[in-house]
Amino acid sequence: MEEQIIIIGSNGQIGTELAIALRAKFGQHRVVTSDIREPQMPDTSGPFETIDVLDRKALHVLFTKYRPTQVYLLAAMLSATGEKYPRQAWDLNINGLLNVLDLSLKYGVNKVFWPSSIAVFGPHSPKANTPQYSVMDPNTVYGISKLAGERICEYYHSRYGLDVRSIRYPGIISWKAAPGGGTTDYAVHIFHEALKNNTYTCFLSANTALPMLYMDDAIRGTLALMDAPTDAVNIRSSYNLTGVSFTPAMLANEISKVVPEFTITYVENDPRQAIADTWPNSIDDTEAQQDWGWKPQFDLTSITEDMLTNLKNNR
Ligand code: SER
């Protein structure tokens, strides 16, 4: 059967690259991209629709028009922006998900992908090698909405048989499209500033370790999960997944191996520090390894080299 795919929220950091990967895999016209706004650099190789995921009627029209077999829902408000607009973050992250799950049931969608996050963990979760199952007491609205979303995904699977699949993404590092409103965004900004100004002012402290993943790995992992046989996908809330864990100081050190003049300074009391302090330092993703063969390919050195090379070549 030929797949017909809709990506909702395709203009963001992950959506931009997922669209390229899915179009390469399934064919340009088999993948409909959609977002609340027109893309800044439109990819005219396939169809695009403007859509607000909170507009149920418009979503109906979209599903009727394209009859998707797979839906990827990436529209969300991230952690730092969510703390500025908690009500809107909850509304978008939860009601957007419910709208897509309901319509996916109604239109017989075969598979739904929805991303969760390391933000589902909280101050009482184990910090090092945080396991799949542990105390989860997120205290950002973003983390709370992702944890509730995980429970809802599992519920739609067990109660209605909907094939929902999910990954708890750590911070995602990439050069094609900018991240927006997250706590892990420093790990992308730092590369741009290193090349532009040889220096970066970091909003997290030198020794704040967070789990991270290079975009190439994130896309490969997402496609691997979506390709896995249904009965191999034992977790229907969301899979722990990681690439590498590092601190701003470790990343700065790695960058200075390529850009020797590079310096870093740190600002204190940024609100994102308090968020980062409640998140895991590193993640145990044994279940993803066992169930569908997860293995990251990029470490801190190769991420740094690839980021700097691509950003230089695309300036
Ligand atoms: N990258 C996200 C954020 O920082 C975590 O899921 O909000």
Side-chain angles (χ1 to χ4, degrees):
M1 187 195 61
E2 285 212 285
E3 299 288 355
Q4 179 68 44
I5 295 171
I6 299 182
I7 306 174
I8 300 169
S10 59
N11 290 357
Q13 187 193 13
I14 298 172
T16 300
E17 301 211 26
L18 195 59
I20 296 169
L22 288 171
R23 283 186 166 154
K25 183 170 162 131
F26 293 107
Q28 308 289 358
H29 287 274
R30 296 267 150 213
V31 180
V32 180
T33 51
S34 69
D35 206 289
I36 196 161
R37 274 178 222 98
E38 296 267 329
Q40 280 184 336
M41 278 183 290
D43 171 9
T44 46
S45 63
F48 174 84
E49 301 278 349
T50 307
I51 189 95
D52 177 355
V53 72
L54 294 177
D55 182 345
R56 274 183 83 99
K57 275 208 190 112
L59 269 186
H60 260 288
V61 173
L62 187 72
F63 276 59
T64 315
K65 182 168 172 188
Y66 292 103
R67 299 276 164 182
T69 58
Q70 292 188 21
V71 176
Y72 294 72
L73 169 57
L74 301 172
M77 197 184 285
L78 295 195
S79 59
T81 313
E83 291 311 290
K84 289 190 192 142
Y85 311 104
R87 197 66 183 74
Q88 287 93 322
W90 177 261
D91 196 26
L92 174 60
N93 295 357
I94 290 295
N95 292 324
L97 174 60
L98 286 170
N99 285 348
V100 168
L101 294 178
D102 284 341
L103 286 181
S104 296
L105 273 182
K106 188 175 159 79
Y107 287 90
V109 172
N110 293 338
K111 288 182 208 168
V112 179
F113 179 81
W114 171 82
S116 184
S117 160
I118 53 161
V120 293
F121 297 107
H124 295 88
S125 309
K127 284 251 168 251
N129 283 322
T130 311
Q132 176 73 34
Y133 300 104
S134 70
V135 172
M136 298 170 96
D137 58 348
N139 58 9
T140 60
V141 72
Y142 174 67
I144 297 167
S145 69
K146 286 293 182 187
L147 183 53
E150 287 191 7
R151 304 317 306 147
I152 283 291
C153 286
E154 191 182 295
Y155 185 80
Y156 271 66
H157 176 258
S158 61
R159 171 123 193 212
Y160 306 118
L162 187 65
D163 190 343
V164 199
R165 304 177 181 206
S166 176
I167 287 173
R168 289 175 183 151
Y169 289 132
I172 306 282
I173 301 172
S174 67
W175 55 271
K176 281 193 187 136
T183 300
T184 55
D185 295 6
Y186 92 84
V188 177
H189 299 160
I190 192 171
F191 288 104
H192 291 267
E193 293 302 311
L195 289 177
K196 230 192 290 164
N197 303 318
N198 286 334
T199 186
Y200 177 62
T201 307
C202 188
F203 58 78
L204 296 183
S205 66
N207 296 320
T208 306
L210 288 169
M212 300 279 179
L213 186 63
Y214 200 46
M215 182 63 87
D216 301 45
D217 277 336
I219 299 295
R220 222 174 25 81
T222 305
L223 298 187
L225 171 62
M226 291 304 274
D227 275 347
T230 309
D231 55 6
V233 184
N234 295 313
I235 293 175
R236 295 302 183 152
S237 51
S238 189
Y239 277 93
N240 269 13
L241 198 93
T242 192
V244 57
S245 281
F246 56 78
T247 64
M250 289 162 71
L251 180 53
N253 180 51
E254 207 58 43
I255 290 174
S256 63
K257 290 182 192 164
V258 186
V259 185
E261 318 81 84
F262 180 67
T263 57
I264 186 165
T265 52
Y266 300 92
V267 283
E268 280 175 23
N269 299 325
D270 187 283
R272 287 165 284 192
Q273 182 67 48
I275 298 176
D277 286 342
T278 70
W279 287 358
N281 298 149
S282 56
I283 291 283
D284 176 354
D285 58 17
T286 305
E287 282 80 358
Q289 296 172 35
Q290 284 171 351
D291 288 1
W292 43 275
W294 167 245
K295 198 175 179 335
Q297 289 176 351
F298 283 80
D299 62 11
L300 181 54
T301 304
S302 46
I303 290 173
T304 305
E305 283 167 1
D306 206 69
M307 279 295 285
L308 291 171
T309 306
N310 279 301
L311 287 176
K312 262 186 221 154
N313 294 343
N314 290 282
R315 276 210 275 184

